[in-house]
């Protein structure tokens, strides 16, 4: 659990906490499928009883362990779809209220985009317009190969089920999208995974079309449909809920303590290539100029932090894998081997080959 001492709280990543209610519902869903949900809690620092508190939070690393166990036990039974069905609107707290009361479907979607990281720190969402469609893409922020498809399928299904509940049908019909037989026309969910064996069992229950083995995790909306009103639209209530979400977001950012520590640890668990300053600033919900200033106050730069993480990774890969220097350079995001070689010599005073043969093994940096 995230109940920690003051010293530990300084090192706690505010945006790396998952609401305990999500984990409780996950465990209960696994139990309904005939499994012993107590197996999910083994060795973790919290119990089912701890998760009953409305304000309970779980560290993302513990949540990942618990989710991996759940997928192992019940993933092939359609756990993602069943879990999405159980994640009712009220479970999502102020984010659910902001979406529920948004004036339009597009504004509800924008609330989810901005504040999704408060609920599902595994994923980020981006919204891009084309001529007549809006593309909503999801991307994993951590290297979670065993969970990625489960998370993508669960989040996409949850969003579509909520959209079906919240959209005003008469308004959608006025926009040319008549919802009949529980299906929202023109909306598609694209997932990169192969179609799972359990999908056909749930396909008819889903409000939109799902397509598998696609190039990216994406939901496609007709642009005009996003102008449809929400069933319980209330601009004042929505604004208050968004203000509360913003407060939670800023508090989460503040809870991260030292910004250099927060960024370094975030980078350490991200797959390569590492994000740009602009992308990281967006993740922290600040401008790139503000992030530069906050780092300058700590006498460092984003480039210095990134190079420190790349150095740690390079040393670990050279010491503990059989990958060639070229493969390591590519994995770290270097398109040119010579650039990596120069960088590594600057970091250690040796070439990568020399270091692998007889170089020292300095401990990776873990904090400021």
């Amino acid at each position: 659990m995230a109940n920690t001492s003051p010293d530990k709280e300084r090192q706690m990543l505010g945006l790396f906490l998952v609401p305990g209610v999500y984990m409780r519902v996950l465990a209960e869903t696994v139990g309904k499928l005939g499994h012993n949900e107590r197996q999910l809690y083994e060795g973790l620092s919290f119990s089912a009883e701890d998760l009953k508190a409305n304000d309970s939070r779980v560290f993302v690393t513990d949540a990942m362990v618990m989710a991996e166990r759940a997928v192992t036990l019940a993933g092939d039974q359609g756990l993602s779809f069943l879990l999405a069905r159980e994640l009712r609107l009220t479970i999502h707290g102020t984010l659910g209220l902001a979406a529920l009361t948004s004036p339009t479907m597009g504004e509800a979607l924008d609330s989810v985009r901005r504040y999704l990281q408060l609920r599902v720190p595994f994923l980020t969402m981006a919204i891009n317009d084309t001529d007549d469609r809006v593309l909503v893409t999801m991307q994993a922020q951590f290297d979670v190969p065993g969970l990625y498809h489960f998370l993508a399928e669960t989040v996409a299904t949850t969003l579509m089920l909520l959209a079906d509940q919240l959209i005003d049908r008469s308004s959608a019909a006025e926009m040319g999208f008549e919802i009949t037989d529980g299906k929202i026309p023109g909306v598609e969910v694209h997932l990169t995974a192969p179609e799972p064996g359990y999908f056909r069992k749930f396909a008819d229950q889903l409000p939109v079309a799902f397509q598998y083995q696609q190039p990216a995790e994406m939901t496609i909306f007709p642009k005009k449909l996003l102008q449809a009103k929400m069933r319980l639209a209330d601009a004042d209530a929505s604004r208050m809920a968004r203000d509360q979400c913003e407060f939670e977001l800023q508090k989460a950012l503040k809870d991260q303590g030292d910004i250099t520590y927060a960024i370094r640890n975030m980078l350490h668990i991200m797959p390569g290539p590492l994000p740009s300053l602009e992308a990281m600033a967006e993740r922290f919900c600040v401008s790139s100029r503000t992030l530069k200033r906050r780092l300058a106050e700590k006498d460092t730069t984003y480039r210095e932090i990134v190079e420190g993480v790349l150095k740690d990774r390079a040393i670990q890969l050279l010491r503990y894998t059989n990958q060639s220097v070229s493969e390591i350079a590519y994995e770290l995001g270097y398109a040119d081997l010579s650039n990596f070689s120069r960088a590594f010599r600057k970091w250690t005073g040796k070439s990568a080959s020399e270091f692998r043969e007889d170089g020292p093994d300095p401990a990776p940096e873990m904090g400021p």
Side-chain angles (χ1 to χ4, degrees), residues 20-160:
V21 63
Y22 289 169
M23 309 317 296
R24 189 184 77 232
V25 173
L26 172 64
E28 291 171 352
T29 305
V30 169
K32 290 176 182 177
L33 288 169
H35 303 280
N36 182 354
E37 60 189 84
R38 285 181 295 181
Q39 297 178 57
L40 304 182
Y41 295 95
E42 290 180 2
L44 299 179
S45 59
F46 56 90
S47 65
E49 191 65 26
D50 293 324
L51 298 184
K52 290 182 180 179
N54 290 334
D55 60 349
S56 64
R57 295 290 187 272
V58 173
F59 286 111
V60 69
T61 47
D62 288 340
M64 289 165 64
V65 169
M66 193 171 180
E68 287 171 352
R69 292 173 178 175
V71 171
T72 299
L73 288 174
D76 60 1
Q77 293 175 266
L79 177 62
S80 53
F81 292 122
L82 294 169
L83 176 59
R85 189 186 298 166
E86 297 295 326
L87 292 175
R88 298 179 177 87
L89 184 67
T90 53
I91 286 177
H92 306 291
T94 50
L95 176 54
L97 181 61
L100 172 71
T101 55
S102 291
T104 67
M105 190 172 177
E107 289 170 274
L109 195 61
D110 186 64
S111 290
V112 173
R113 176 199 62 79
R114 177 159 177 78
Y115 303 114
L116 180 66
Q117 59 190 313
L118 287 171
R119 301 295 182 259
V120 192
F122 307 98
L123 299 173
T124 57
M125 175 186 290
I127 300 176
N128 296 289
D129 287 6
T130 64
D131 290 339
D132 57 354
R133 300 189 302 174
V134 172
L135 311 180
V136 179
T137 55
M138 289 187 291
Q139 186 172 11
Q141 293 302 296
F142 320 121
D143 191 9
V144 286
L147 284 177
Y148 180 62
H149 296 310
F150 167 74
L151 293 169
E153 195 169 62
T154 301
V155 172
T157 305
T158 301
L159 291 176
M160 292 303 96

Side-chain angles (χ1 to χ4, degrees), residues 328-341:
I328 290 172
Y330 179 79
E331 182 171 329
L332 295 178
Y334 287 89
D336 189 329
L337 176 58
S338 61
N339 289 339
F340 170 70
S341 298

Side-chain angles (χ1 to χ4, degrees), residues 22-23 32 63 79 102 122 127 168 176-177 180 186 226 235 237 247 250 265 270 277 286 295 340 353 358 363 368:
Y22 289 169
M23 309 317 296
K32 290 176 182 177
L79 177 62
S102 291
F122 307 98
I127 300 176
D168 184 288
F177 301 94
T180 57
L226 296 186
F247 173 79
Q250 296 307 318
N265 280 275
M270 281 183 168
L277 170 70
V286 296
L295 291 174
F340 170 70
S353 298
D358 60 2

